[in-house]
Amino acid sequence: MLAANRVSQLMRAGLILGLAYFVLAYISIKLFGLGGGIAVIWFANAVGTAGLSRHPPNRWPLLLVALLTAIVLANGAGGVSWGSTLLFAPGNMAEMLLGAYLLRTRQQEAVYFYNLRGMFLLIWLGVMVPVAFGTLVSATVFGLQGTLPLISVAMHWVEGGIIGGTSMLPAAYWLYLHGWHGLRWQLAKTNLPALLLFALAIASLVPLTLPFPFIYMSLPLFYIAYRCGVAGVVLANLLVSVNICVQIGLGFLVAPPTIYNWGYTLFYLPILATLIPPLMLAVLMDMNRSASAALLQSERRYRSLYQHTPAMLYSCDANGHIVTVNEVWLRTMGYEYEEVIGQLASSFLSTERDRLIQQEMLPKLMLDGECRNIRQQLQSKQGRKIDVMMTAALEKDGNDMPIRLLFVQLDISDQVRAEHLAYHDTLTQLPNRLLLTDRIEHACQQGGRNDHPFAVVFLDLDYFKEVNDELGHEVGDLLLIEVARRLERSVRSSDTISRLGGDEFVMLLNGLGPGQEAEQTAEKILQAIAQPYSLAGHQVNISVSMGLAYFPQDGRDGATLMRQADEAMYRAKRAGKNCFAKSDVE
């Protein structure tokens, strides 16, 4: 069934190709028969070449039979004798076979209609070389028969074949590529039909009214090339060349007198000069349109990518002023475009520390050309803190001068919050046991290498259970929060205060060893915690019991130091509370 369909399709293609060849061959023969032409301007071989080249070689036999039949029928219908028909056939068949073979072998490497080289290749491979080969075959056949002069046959074959092929092949090949649907679409999307009629009218009128008519004929072709590109010019060239042939046949265009037989050949050169330059201009215009369209599409894709990339993007000039910014940045930060452009990028950082990092980073960025994965914190228009991971690159011009700075910021606020929750107490926001353990172990490692002492202080609130039982857990939570704030105010920012749970707190006090300074710090904490609390309309008084352990005297690892500090705290409890005790390790 499938094979039958293929045969049916191939027979249909052969019928259409043969019919097209017959019509064009018949027109050329009749125009020549009017008596005004020097040579037959032969359009038909270009259609055969284009048709064959669009099919694989294993399908050519049936198509060649259709073409040979069309040659015989067209010559017979045109009044050519059977003997002459058989003499013309080998050259025509050889020309189409060679042209189809050359076009098919090169069609993968040459996009014929999209660059000048491709168009030159189309005409060279599909017209010039095949016509030369067909001329050689025909001259040989006629020379062997001795019926016509060899030079005359060769010159007229070249004249008619090149003019007809150059006129017809681009149009036929374009039509084979795009089909009738493509032709209708091309005619519908522009004012091409009106322009074709205008070009045809000029080609019809100027030979009757003006000298040097080919110059005027080319003008509308150039305009069509400019407006409609290759698709318009190949159609216009075909119509104009057929019109020229009609006028030559009717005697409106005649060759100037010359004493040289070969001089008549020059009569056809202006036709080529009329057709080829607009065709090349059309190729250039299509190339320019394609490049412009590609550039515009690329710019649109870039803008779309820039605006819709799920990251905060902005660019700055060499002084750090924002030049462009994408929608994600604006939406995240809560600003309008006009509020941001021209502002210093550093003004949107949340703290002086972040601004200092930005100022230190810019010289490095200008020197190295990039920087990666720098943590920053931005402040939105509403005052919200936004943690970002920033990467930046420097763009330079051809003279290695800075043009702009490109920044990518990834919002890692959720990640930072998740990390914070994993390592901090949800009530007091103090470091939890996990983070405290890590910092104590790190302090042990540093202390072992550098012989730096530190203290671990275990704290337990006195009478906290009574507050919870009498005033409720809400007041108890408020009390724990206030205790945390007082502890933070009592020590340095480099120290660590942790809540283990309930009313138990642990502190890591760096650089603090046994002695007067440690005891003064402990007394300061006792006094801070013992101050009255005003919580939700209630007056609350509590105290704290503390146990101290020192590195390295009381232990050289975190677990030992925590245990010693815990035991010391219980001794303080037994000693009457509201006091501190030191580890009793000998």
Side-chain angles (χ1 to χ4, degrees):
M1 185 66 180
L2 185 61
N5 287 337
R6 288 179 178 175
V7 171
S8 176
Q9 292 174 358
L10 185 58
M11 292 182 66
R12 181 173 177 272
L15 180 62
I16 294 173
L17 183 60
L19 182 61
Y21 191 98
F22 171 83
V23 171
L24 292 171
Y26 180 76
I27 290 173
S28 293
I29 293 169
K30 280 301 183 182
L31 288 175
F32 180 72
L34 293 175
I38 298 169
V40 182
I41 298 183
W42 197 253
F43 300 102
N45 284 357
V47 170
T49 297
L52 284 174
S53 71
R54 302 306 298 171
H55 292 274
N58 62 350
R59 299 184 182 180
W60 285 5
L62 182 58
L63 298 176
L64 289 172
V65 170
L67 290 170
L68 182 59
T69 303
I71 291 173
V72 174
L73 293 178
N75 278 277
V80 181
S81 66
W82 290 106
S84 297
T85 298
L86 294 177
L87 293 177
F88 283 119
N92 287 312
M93 297 298 290
E95 183 178 319
M96 289 185 288
L97 266 172
L98 180 61
Y101 172 77
L102 293 176
L103 289 179
R104 188 162 186 83
T105 56
R106 299 297 294 272
Q107 66 181 349
Q108 296 302 321
E109 68 176 83
V111 183
Y112 295 124
F113 293 104
Y114 297 101
N115 58 73
L116 287 177
R117 181 177 180 274
M119 183 56 68
F120 277 119
L121 271 178
L122 179 66
I123 294 174
W124 177 256
L125 299 178
V127 178
M128 299 299 182
V129 175
V131 166
F133 183 66
T135 300
L136 178 62
V137 172
S138 293
T140 301
V141 170
F142 279 99
L144 291 175
Q145 291 293 320
T147 54
L148 289 173
L150 194 64
I151 297 298
S152 176
V153 171
M155 291 182 62
H156 291 332
W157 193 284
V158 169
E159 293 165 1
I162 289 179
I163 297 299
T166 303
S167 304
M168 176 60 69
L169 183 64
Y173 204 87
W174 188 93
L175 192 58
Y176 267 107
L177 286 176
H178 299 279
W180 292 107
H181 175 76
L183 177 61
R184 288 194 299 270
W185 181 81
Q186 190 69 33
L187 293 173
K189 82 181 184 81
T190 64
N191 56 350
L192 181 58
L195 294 175
L196 292 176
L197 289 175
F198 177 67
L200 196 58
I202 294 295
S204 301
L205 294 176
V206 294
L208 305 176
T209 57
L210 296 173
F212 310 109
F214 294 111
I215 296 176
Y216 303 102
M217 290 181 189
S218 67
L219 294 179
L221 299 181
F222 278 112
Y223 184 72
I224 292 173
Y226 172 75
R227 289 295 303 274
C228 305
V230 171
V233 165
V234 296
L235 297 175
N237 277 0
L238 179 59
L239 291 176
V240 169
S241 62
V242 171
N243 181 275
I244 291 173
C245 293
V246 171
Q247 294 192 62
I248 291 174
L250 295 175
F252 297 140
L253 277 173
V254 296
T258 176
I259 61 175
Y260 304 104
N261 290 333
W262 57 265
Y264 288 113
T265 306
L266 300 178
F267 178 57
Y268 288 95
L269 290 180
I271 300 178
L272 288 178
T274 302
L275 303 178
I276 292 179
L279 185 60
M280 297 307 165
L281 175 62
V283 173
L284 290 174
M285 294 304 301
D286 279 359
M287 289 171 60
N288 182 64
R289 291 189 187 99
S290 297
S292 299
L295 182 62
L296 181 60
Q297 186 177 11
S298 176
E299 182 179 354
R300 286 174 177 170
R301 281 199 301 266
Y302 166 77
R303 289 185 179 276
S304 177
L305 180 65
Y306 184 80
Q307 290 299 336
H308 297 99
T309 295
M312 302 167 66
L313 307 178
Y314 68 94
S315 64
C316 297
D317 60 22
N319 296 318
H321 293 89
I322 294 179
V323 178
T324 62
V325 63
N326 76 340
E327 290 293 335
V328 177
W329 196 98
L330 294 172
R331 188 166 57 249
T332 304
M333 295 290 287
Y335 285 96
E336 297 294 330
Y337 184 82
E338 295 77 11
E339 297 177 288
V340 173
I341 298 302
Q343 299 295 322
L344 280 171
S346 59
S347 64
F348 297 98
L349 298 171
S350 65
T351 64
E352 287 299 326
R353 177 178 173 274
D354 287 305
R355 295 187 183 95
L356 181 61
I357 292 174
Q358 181 90 346
Q359 292 168 6
E360 293 174 350
M361 179 200 68
L362 283 176
K364 184 177 185 299
L365 178 58
M366 301 293 283
L367 180 64
D368 298 340
E370 65 176 10
C371 60
R372 296 177 180 274
N373 300 329
I374 296 177
R375 292 278 290 265
Q376 291 181 322
Q377 190 176 72
L378 308 179
Q379 182 168 317
S380 71
K381 187 176 181 180
Q382 294 75 26
R384 182 169 63 93
K385 300 295 189 295
I386 302 170
D387 293 285
V388 297
M389 185 71 74
M390 187 270 291
T391 295
L394 173 64
E395 183 180 354
K396 297 182 179 181
D397 61 17
N399 298 319
D400 204 35
M401 296 298 293
I403 301 177
R404 57 177 167 258
L405 305 169
L406 308 175
F407 294 88
V408 179
Q409 293 175 328
L410 297 177
D411 186 351
I412 59 171
S413 299
D414 291 341
Q415 176 185 336
V416 170
R417 280 193 290 270
E419 291 176 355
H420 184 84
L421 289 174
Y423 291 101
H424 291 78
D425 173 51
T426 55
L427 178 64
T428 63
Q429 303 303 310
L430 294 176
N432 60 15
R433 182 186 295 271
L434 188 63
L435 182 55
L436 172 70
T437 302
D438 180 72
R439 289 187 179 178
I440 291 179
E441 291 299 334
H442 181 71
C444 289
Q445 294 172 8
Q446 291 288 102
R449 286 194 297 267
N450 304 319
D451 197 27
H452 285 169
F454 63 87
V456 175
V457 183
F458 214 105
L459 303 91
D460 187 89
L461 300 183
D462 302 325
Y463 314 113
F464 178 75
K465 183 177 183 302
E466 288 80 357
V467 173
N468 254 348
D469 292 343
E470 294 178 11
L471 302 180
H473 290 286
E474 182 178 349
V475 174
D477 287 345
L478 293 175
L479 176 59
L480 291 173
I481 293 172
E482 180 59 27
V483 167
R485 301 292 83 82
R486 293 187 184 187
L487 290 175
E488 286 178 326
R489 291 193 293 268
S490 300
V491 297
R492 298 161 299 184
S493 60
S494 59
D495 297 326
T496 298
I497 306 169
S498 170
R499 180 186 176 222
L500 300 187
D503 61 343
E504 291 184 332
F505 295 82
V506 177
M507 295 192 297
L508 169 63
L509 306 179
N510 292 304
L512 194 66
Q516 184 178 4
E517 183 180 359
E519 295 180 2
Q520 289 175 347
T521 302
E523 288 291 348
K524 180 180 178 182
I525 294 171
L526 291 172
Q527 294 174 11
I529 300 301
Q531 295 297 316
Y533 298 82
S534 180
L535 304 170
H538 300 281
Q539 190 78 10
V540 176
N541 292 280
I542 62 168
S543 60
V544 65
S545 298
M546 301 167 52
L548 286 74
Y550 299 99
F551 176 91
Q553 293 90 333
D554 299 326
R556 303 188 68 88
D557 62 86
T560 301
L561 291 169
M562 288 279 288
R563 186 177 67 253
Q564 294 296 334
D566 188 23
E567 292 176 357
M569 182 272 295
Y570 278 107
R571 284 197 301 276
K573 285 277 189 185
R574 291 192 294 270
K577 303 179 181 179
N578 193 25
C579 64
F580 67 89
K582 295 179 286 185
S583 171
D584 60 356
V585 175
E586 293 296 335

